[in-house]
Amino acid sequence: MFQSCNGLYADVSDTSITLFWDQPDEATPESIYRIRFDGPEAAKTDRTHVTFLDLEPDTSHDFSVCLSEEGEYGDYEPMLSGTFRTLPAKRAIDVTQAPYNAVGDGKTLNTAAIQRALDDCDANSRVVVPKGTFLTGALTMHSDSELTVLFGGTLQGSADPADYEPRVRTRFEGVETECYRSLINVGRMDHDAGYTTRNVTINGEGTILGGGPELMYATIDLERERIKDQLAAMADYIATCENENTIPGRVRGRLINVANAQNVTISGLTLGQAPSWNLQFIYSDTIVTHNCAFTSVGVWNGDGWDPDSSTNLWLFDSRFDTGDDMVAIKSGKNPEGNAVNRPTRHVRIFDCSATHGHGIAIGSEMSGGVEDVKVWDVDIAKSCYGFHIKGTPKRGGYVRNVTVRDCELAAITIHAVEYNDDGEPGPDQPVFENFRFERVKVLGRHWGEGDGEVHPTTAVLVRGFAKPGHEVCDVVLRDVTLGGVKDGSGLVEMAYARNVTMENVSSLATDTLPAGENPLQGR
């Protein structure tokens, strides 16, 4: 359960408190945070989060955080302080016990049993999935409910599309449409409504997996057959799409879909193998995701964590091995996204890393606007595209006020793109402005998707829109190192850009990128 106090934030359960906070402007790579817990100093960390376990339920605790430099632990001057209270002890609803009697053999379909347990959950209870593999179709969580998957337990989504019917109204690639239900569904989407579902927790040390490529292909094949006459009549339109699966693929569900919800926390779990994106948050607010592992290699559109026209989102202490973007920040697609006009704002991403995937993306569906994104202590050196801000001329909207600090990236790309450009145009071209990159190492290295091979690429690409007034504007690169690794590059390319400041930028001695060989140009 999310709590906040004087700029200090916490995910609170009945027996634990995870504190987290924004990286202060004065922090350096040598900074250490000292944490006091009910008086005495209890922890030191170089991260902007810390967890306290084995606490008593329903008990208040006082915390403070002091910023120090490594090796300098003199006077304690609190930077932040706050009081947080653990939740009252909760009753466990074990899905294997009567009257639910779910079976964790990986074969028995437990949808009705687990849904009954979720329906019975109240603010004083949690639904518990114990050791075993529990096969299920789509599930729904309501306000003031909690789902805990224990270590050794797996909530396994089925590979049969029929288990995710009936379809529901949601948003896919920026457009509101009907899709198959997701494995876990929180809230009902309505862009005219406020937050109608609140206080939902999904946690544990276990695993939640979707039906993966098998469900993905089964869903696409069914939809292709259902709309075959429509597809035959729109061959010219399909030629503008990413591939022949784009249109029938837009009905796939997600692993966890959150819509019109407020105060949702997801922590501790291994999450993945959805038929498309894994976590999507639509028209929602106050979302905390931490200490999770994401996996979706082999899934087309297998994004990890996708905020979509939502506000106040935190992602930290998580690892990614994904078949597409580890993070994709969205806000709708032209012209509908411009009309709905619900931006994504106040996103914080820190202490995360990737071993496979495309990296962190903003766009290309960003027609409602994206602003106030801060990223720090992130390692996505082993990714296809690194940190990637993109939009097509049709999109409209804006991306602004993005700060990236103390990170290692495959590349930095801020550019206009031509792909995923189907549909009617919005009222104007996008505005990209105010981007700051500080104390960042950029390798100029593209980690291949299929073959796993590494290729040099442009380290920094800034290419705005050709229309006057829509150039990329106000970019700062300060204390940035380019290249310096095998198969890396220190190349910088710019076009349609204004007011670009480079301070203490170093391009280390590496092989230069051969002309015309830039994998980012197509993305």
Side-chain angles (χ1 to χ4, degrees):
M1 182 74 66
F2 176 82
Q3 296 179 14
S4 66
C5 186
N6 302 321
L8 191 59
Y9 311 109
D11 176 20
V12 177
S13 76
D14 50 355
T15 60
S16 69
I17 296 177
T18 294
L19 298 177
F20 53 101
W21 55 93
D22 277 7
Q23 184 191 52
D25 291 341
E26 62 270 28
T28 72
E30 290 72 40
S31 291
I32 296 293
Y33 302 94
R34 301 157 61 192
I35 296 91
R36 285 186 175 177
F37 176 19
D38 287 339
E41 194 166 318
K44 293 185 180 73
T45 179
D46 61 354
R47 307 287 93 177
T48 52
H49 61 91
V50 65
T51 297
F52 295 92
L53 302 171
D54 301 320
L55 307 180
E56 290 295 320
D58 202 16
T59 304
S60 291
H61 297 285
D62 297 325
F63 297 93
S64 63
V65 179
C66 171
L67 175 66
S68 300
E69 293 304 302
E70 187 175 9
E72 299 178 2
Y73 304 128
D75 294 339
Y76 189 96
E77 298 182 4
M79 174 185 70
L80 296 167
S81 61
T83 299
F84 300 96
R85 189 176 189 88
T86 53
L87 302 180
K90 291 194 173 187
R91 173 179 66 98
I93 301 175
D94 188 330
V95 299
T96 65
Q97 301 301 307
Y100 314 108
N101 302 316
V103 180
D105 60 3
K107 300 177 181 178
T108 303
L109 190 65
N110 295 287
T111 310
I114 298 173
Q115 186 60 60
R116 182 178 179 184
L118 290 170
D119 291 343
D120 289 345
C121 187
D122 59 20
N124 300 313
S125 307
R126 61 166 54 94
V127 174
V128 176
V129 177
K131 185 177 181 180
T133 299
F134 294 84
L135 188 67
T136 180
L139 302 168
T140 299
M141 295 184 68
H142 57 72
S143 292
D144 300 306
S145 64
E146 180 173 345
L147 172 64
T148 300
V149 184
L150 299 182
F151 180 79
T154 299
L155 195 65
Q156 175 64 63
S158 87
D160 186 350
D163 293 328
Y164 302 89
E165 294 178 337
R167 299 186 189 194
V168 294
R169 191 77 177 167
T170 185
R171 193 189 233 185
F172 195 95
E173 290 188 342
V175 177
E176 294 188 4
T177 186
E178 284 196 347
C179 294
Y180 285 90
R181 297 171 70 205
S182 301
L183 181 61
I184 297 176
N185 303 268
V186 178
R188 183 178 64 85
M189 191 194 75
D190 181 352
H191 67 248
D192 291 322
Y195 308 118
T196 54
T197 303
R198 291 178 171 84
N199 306 328
V200 174
T201 300
I202 304 171
N203 61 19
E205 297 179 325
T207 301
I208 300 177
L209 297 178
E214 186 178 353
L215 177 59
M216 176 184 74
Y217 287 119
T219 302
I220 291 172
D221 289 345
L222 281 173
E223 182 67 3
R224 192 192 314 279
E225 177 62 25
R226 188 182 76 87
I227 62 171
K228 60 183 180 182
D229 293 340
Q230 177 184 344
L231 292 174
M234 56 191 304
D236 291 343
Y237 178 81
I238 292 172
T240 68
C241 297
E242 183 177 352
N243 58 49
E244 70 279 3
N245 291 326
T246 296
I247 303 302
R250 286 175 174 167
V251 299
R252 290 171 289 161
R254 270 59 90 195
L255 185 74
I256 301 174
N257 184 262
V258 176
N260 291 82
Q262 187 174 49
N263 199 356
V264 177
T265 61
I266 302 170
S267 66
L269 297 161
T270 296
L271 304 162
Q273 298 307 112
S276 61
W277 307 329
N278 285 292
L279 272 58
Q280 184 182 11
F281 313 104
I282 312 168
Y283 308 143
S284 293
D285 175 72
T286 310
I287 309 294
V288 180
T289 307
H290 66 95
N291 189 27
C292 289
F294 293 81
T295 175
S296 61
V297 174
V299 177
W300 175 51
N301 300 134
D303 293 359
W305 189 84
D306 288 13
D308 194 344
S309 290
S310 293
T311 54
N312 299 309
L313 304 107
W314 290 266
L315 168 66
F316 61 95
D317 189 23
S318 294
R319 311 294 169 247
F320 291 81
D321 185 15
T322 53
D324 208 296
D325 296 318
M326 59 180 283
V327 171
I329 301 173
K330 305 171 181 289
S331 64
K333 186 174 179 179
N334 50 295
E336 180 184 277
N338 307 117
V340 171
N341 193 31
R342 293 186 65 161
T344 292
R345 293 181 173 136
H346 316 313
V347 181
R348 303 292 185 261
I349 302 167
F350 52 99
D351 192 16
C352 293
S353 63
T355 57
H356 188 279
H358 290 187
I360 296 176
I362 301 178
S364 63
E365 302 95 63
M366 34 59 64
S367 298
V370 175
E371 64 182 326
D372 186 23
V373 178
K374 293 185 178 181
V375 180
W376 65 92
D377 294 338
V378 165
D379 182 354
I380 52 172
K382 195 174 181 181
S383 64
C384 292
Y385 308 112
F387 194 88
H388 200 184
I389 299 171
K390 53 186 176 176
T392 78
K394 289 182 178 180
R395 287 289 185 264
Y398 56 85
V399 178
R400 62 192 180 210
N401 303 335
V402 177
T403 300
V404 180
R405 303 177 78 199
D406 300 317
C407 294
E408 188 164 339
L409 313 173
I412 294 171
T413 309
I414 307 169
H415 66 154
V417 298
E418 297 179 354
Y419 64 90
N420 192 17
D421 195 37
D422 57 298
E424 296 298 320
D428 206 343
Q429 294 188 8
V431 173
F432 285 176
E433 60 186 0
N434 195 14
F435 307 114
R436 181 178 296 269
F437 300 88
E438 296 181 331
R439 299 194 300 265
V440 172
K441 185 175 182 180
V442 186
L443 305 185
R445 192 165 67 178
H446 169 85
W447 203 279
E449 265 186 280
D451 55 16
E453 294 184 3
V454 177
H455 313 277
T457 188
T458 301
V460 178
L461 173 63
V462 179
R463 186 183 65 214
F465 299 88
K467 182 178 178 179
H470 293 264
E471 306 88 351
V472 176
C473 184
D474 298 327
V475 180
V476 174
L477 295 108
R478 179 178 291 121
D479 300 326
V480 173
T481 301
L482 309 177
V485 295
K486 184 179 182 296
D487 296 318
S489 165
L491 184 64
V492 176
E493 295 185 47
M494 293 189 186
Y496 303 117
R498 291 188 294 113
N499 196 19
V500 178
T501 301
M502 301 176 71
E503 298 179 10
N504 193 26
V505 176
S506 302
S507 180
L508 299 183
T510 57
D511 293 337
T512 57
L513 182 69
E517 294 186 16
N518 180 3
L520 295 180
Q521 294 288 354
R523 295 294 300 170

